[in-house]
Amino acid sequence: MMKKSYCLGIESTADDFSVGISNFDGKILANVISAYIPEKGGIHPREAARHHAEVADKVLEEAFKKAKIKLKEISIIAFSQGPGLGPCLRTGATVARALAAYLNVPLVGVNHCVAHIEIGKLTTGAADPLTLYVSGGNTIVSAFDSGRYRVFGETLDIALGNCLDVFAREAGLSQRAGLPFGAMVEKIAGKGKKLIPLPYTVKGMDVSLSGLLTATVNLLKQSTYSLEDLCYSLQETAFSMVTEITERALTHTEKKEVLLTGGVAANKRLQSMIKYIAEEHDANFCVAPTQFSIDNGAMIAWTGILAYRHGVTTPVEKSFVRLKWRLEEVAIPWIK
Amino acid sequence: MDKVKAPILIKKGAEANLYLTEWHGRKVVIKKRLAKKYRPSRLDNQIRTYRTTHEAQIMHEAKNAGVPTPTIFLVDMKKTTIIMEFIDGKQIKQLFSNISVDKRKKICFKIGELVGRLHEYGIIHGDLTTSNMILNSEGKIFFVDFGLCEKTKELEAKGVDLHLMKRALQSTHFDFADECFKAIIDGYTEVVGSDTAKNVLDKISEIKKRGRYVAERKEGN
């Protein structure tokens, strides 16, 4: 008897708790995301983890409703094993272990960064891209070579999304459901005209964003410039830096596709810059659709399938979360 | 810029285009930083002009530090263009995988010595990769691409410079990155002395820890 197989993926590295369901052909049947929005300040890991624990059953229920399948039709449980915030990761891992034990199906621990790249490839059709992955926690320029996703460029300190978020909070903006800080900064930046000189720090194929953030926040506090001009200048400077290192990595690796993903990928200005350099070097520009570029369970489910098909499973005793699991540490047996 | 005949594009880089041509009877490379239309033109002009002048000045100074670099013949600020000597040789990146372990170690040791000389002199290269080093037929290693360089003797800058070298080895020459970096540090230590070398190595691990998601106790693995 033919049995349909599905993988359920759980994502909980930071402020989002998400459940995705994918079949073995990469058809995404569900991708339900619940975001934790702090009342004040940044993500408090314990508070975010509490949110994840509270919404887990509802998110799971909704995912099954969307996918129109039953719990017992799931044949693999995948979860985001790292990198990320400890309490958040542990909450997702606990749900995953419980489900896998209950259903008596294999557990697959997935690297969050690998998953971002894989879902980006699946949803855009990119085969072997140079990826710029920019989010609240990561700023990475990566491409596949000899069994691994190699990291060619990255941030030396804070991530691009983090830089924009902290600035937005310092400016007194408040996050609302469906309108993240990055989108607010983008909207305000659209009204800015004056380019304020800010530190532009490219080091080899890496960038440093902490000095830029400090300088912009200091100017904000002096109230010499309008918020519009500050947002505009911050975006232009930071995006120019990451675009420059992406172009460097592109000429270095000579890949023929550029994939933009991660939460900041939704920014239209950044998209236009990356598109420009891709075209400049005859490479195809791809950007992951927003629901698959932000943190999502579908990417974990799909990567779980890729790994499982190549014999990768994670026994419970090895399913401890890995807070600092770097992208290039992961063997990628599914790419020849 | 007179007497430049039919330049041939030899590299369309991210930073600049490189053309090969003859100029006053010499074989030269023209490095032209073209406008980057993705960034605001004021910012772009600033970056290109700064990097062009800076690169030319420091490439010249590097010679005083005892580090071979192509001789600069002409700098055109308005056109953000440098005309420099053509170095007949091979990029270290290209020959690295086809040579013996011993030969590779010797080259790395030499690279380390050259980086040490730059740092002692107060020059930070800013983009130390094996693409930016050329081995000529006489076995001399030339450093090129000084566009991101800095003039400073700060420990932090030295640490970042070598951290980037290490990262470049790990992403491009992953099979022998560790042995290469070790030989580079040996050569570096030879020039700067073991006290300075130790301070720089400590700084490198501190810089690494500032990054995102770095396992602290994995240094050296």
Side-chain angles (χ1 to χ4, degrees):
Chain A
M1 193 180 81
M2 278 289 288
K3 185 174 164 281
K4 273 195 186 165
S5 293
Y6 303 99
C7 175
L8 180 139
I10 297 173
E11 157 60 34
S12 70
T13 48
D15 55 342
D16 292 312
F17 182 84
S18 173
V19 172
I21 297 172
S22 166
N23 76 4
F24 272 53
D25 301 322
K27 188 175 173 208
I28 306 300
L29 286 87
N31 189 32
V32 181
I33 304 167
S34 168
Y36 150 76
I37 297 172
E39 275 174 36
K40 210 177 127 219
I43 305 171
H44 189 305
R46 196 185 56 219
E47 294 304 316
R50 183 177 299 168
H51 158 268
H52 298 349
E54 277 168 15
V55 301
D57 57 343
K58 277 195 204 102
V59 173
L60 275 165
E61 201 183 310
E62 202 184 324
F64 278 101
K65 219 190 223 165
K66 282 239 165 78
K68 297 193 179 75
I69 64 163
K70 293 202 168 59
L71 183 61
K72 61 175 190 292
E73 289 179 87
I74 296 292
S75 50
I76 311 164
I77 301 288
F79 71 104
S80 206
Q81 200 173 359
L85 304 170
C88 303
L89 284 167
R90 275 175 214 115
T91 307
T94 306
V95 176
R97 285 182 208 114
L99 280 171
Y102 175 73
L103 293 167
N104 194 24
V105 296
L107 190 62
V108 182
V110 167
N111 178 289
H112 177 85
C113 305
V114 171
H116 267 291
I117 298 175
E118 289 302 343
I119 198 77
K121 284 161 64 183
L122 177 76
T123 54
T124 63
D128 181 25
L130 175 83
T131 303
L132 172 63
Y133 162 34
V134 274
S135 65
N138 288 283
T139 299
I140 290 176
V141 183
S142 168
F144 183 83
D145 192 349
S146 311
R148 309 249 164 142
Y149 285 112
R150 310 282 166 183
V151 176
F152 290 92
E154 65 182 322
T155 175
L156 287 163
D157 38 59
I158 59 171
L160 180 58
N162 188 220
C163 178
L164 298 172
D165 286 355
V166 172
F167 178 76
R169 281 204 302 271
E170 290 286 338
L173 304 177
S174 59
Q175 205 174 1
R176 294 194 304 275
L179 191 62
F181 280 135
M184 283 185 215
V185 172
E186 180 178 7
K187 209 173 153 199
I188 300 169
K191 294 180 202 135
K193 286 188 184 75
K194 186 179 158 55
L195 186 74
I196 305 158
L198 291 168
Y200 183 100
T201 321
V202 167
K203 293 179 189 258
M205 271 191 253
D206 289 353
V207 293
S208 163
L209 294 159
S210 60
L212 170 64
L213 173 62
T214 308
T216 319
V217 169
N218 285 344
L219 288 176
L220 174 79
K221 287 181 177 157
Q222 288 165 17
S223 6
T224 347
Y225 300 102
S226 69
L227 182 61
E228 286 79 6
D229 287 342
L230 283 168
C231 286
Y232 169 72
S233 306
L234 174 63
Q235 271 203 174
E236 291 299 314
T237 310
F239 293 175
S240 294
M241 283 158 56
V242 295
T243 305
E244 179 177 343
I245 62 163
T246 308
E247 187 179 15
R248 279 170 180 265
L250 185 60
T251 56
H252 181 81
T253 58
E254 296 176 354
K255 296 283 179 187
K256 286 291 151 215
E257 295 157 321
V258 181
L259 170 66
L260 176 61
T261 191
V264 193
N267 189 298
K268 293 278 184 293
R269 178 63 181 131
L270 180 62
Q271 288 180 9
S272 77
M273 285 183 169
I274 301 298
K275 185 165 187 265
Y276 182 86
I277 55 130
E279 284 169 357
E280 186 78 356
H281 296 277
D282 300 316
N284 271 330
F285 170 72
C286 317
V287 56
T290 302
Q291 65 156 327
F292 298 114
S293 66
I294 59 174
D295 288 354
N296 67 90
M299 68 182 194
I300 304 299
W302 171 236
T303 311
I305 286 171
L306 291 172
Y308 178 75
R309 274 205 209 128
H310 287 80
V312 182
T313 57
T314 310
V316 174
E317 64 274 19
K318 286 192 176 153
S319 66
F320 50 84
V321 297
R322 306 172 68 171
L323 277 59
K324 301 187 171 177
W325 194 14
R326 275 181 71 86
L327 173 61
E328 74 262 62
E329 289 173 31
V330 189
I332 309 292
W334 56 87
I335 306 178
K336 289 286 167 281
Chain B
M1 289 277 277
D2 55 336
K3 294 189 186 171
V4 176
K5 270 174 203 146
I8 307 160
L9 180 68
I10 46 172
K11 169 104 180 133
K12 185 179 155 85
E15 176 76 14
N17 283 357
L18 297 182
Y19 303 89
L20 184 65
T21 189
E22 265 191 27
W23 184 74
H24 294 288
R26 288 171 199 271
K27 225 175 173 183
V28 295
V29 168
I30 301 178
K31 178 168 185 171
K32 186 165 175 53
R33 288 187 160 82
L34 296 165
K36 297 287 170 197
K37 292 194 182 114
Y38 62 79
R39 58 191 174 204
S41 61
R42 220 184 89 199
L43 175 64
D44 182 51
N45 286 335
Q46 234 171 40
I47 292 171
R48 285 187 298 132
T49 316
Y50 178 78
R51 288 186 186 166
T52 304
T53 23
H54 216 56
E55 172 165 41
Q57 274 169 1
I58 296 192
M59 265 169 91
H60 184 69
E61 282 186 44
K63 288 181 189 291
N64 298 337
V67 175
T69 55
T71 303
I72 307 284
F73 295 133
L74 194 136
V75 181
D76 186 332
M77 295 264 290
K78 277 196 184 129
K79 290 182 178 159
T80 50
T81 295
I82 301 174
I83 298 182
M84 64 182 101
E85 179 190 2
F86 169 74
I87 306 296
D88 197 4
K90 270 211 157 128
Q91 273 183 332
I92 301 284
K93 180 188 164 192
Q94 288 167 346
L95 51 89
F96 241 21
S97 25
N98 310 318
I99 52 176
S100 70
V101 180
D102 262 11
K103 181 100 207 277
R104 201 159 50 221
K105 272 192 186 157
K106 270 187 194 142
I107 290 176
C108 286
F109 189 88
K110 186 75 205 166
I111 292 171
E113 284 184 327
L114 295 174
V115 177
R117 283 185 206 162
L118 284 180
H119 285 188
E120 284 290 281
Y121 195 83
I123 297 173
I124 302 301
H125 184 278
D127 194 12
L128 290 172
T129 68
T130 50
S131 320
N132 292 340
M133 299 164 188
I134 300 167
L135 182 70
N136 78 356
S137 48
E138 292 155 26
K140 223 174 167 185
I141 298 172
F142 285 75
F143 278 16
V144 296
D145 274 359
F146 282 72
L148 296 179
C149 68
E150 264 184 276
K151 279 289 291 283
T152 172
K153 285 194 170 179
E154 272 175 35
L155 188 59
E156 165 77 21
K158 294 175 185 173
V160 171
D161 215 18
L162 281 164
H163 171 71
L164 295 180
M165 174 88 244
K166 189 179 183 182
R167 291 258 346 277
L169 290 167
Q170 284 167 343
S171 59
T172 306
H173 306 288
F174 32 83
D175 291 333
F176 35 81
D178 290 348
E179 65 171 62
C180 287
F181 192 69
K182 202 186 160 293
I184 287 173
I185 291 300
D186 289 346
Y188 186 78
T189 309
E190 192 77 18
V191 172
V192 304
S194 48
D195 289 349
T196 307
K198 195 193 169 290
N199 290 340
V200 175
L201 279 174
D202 288 347
K203 201 72 192 177
I204 295 173
S205 56
E206 185 194 317
I207 290 158
K208 190 185 166 194
K209 282 179 206 162
R210 263 181 241 155
R212 303 293 304 177
Y213 310 126
V214 179
E216 286 90 345
R217 283 174 286 277
K218 279 216 161 166
E219 185 63 36
N221 282 355

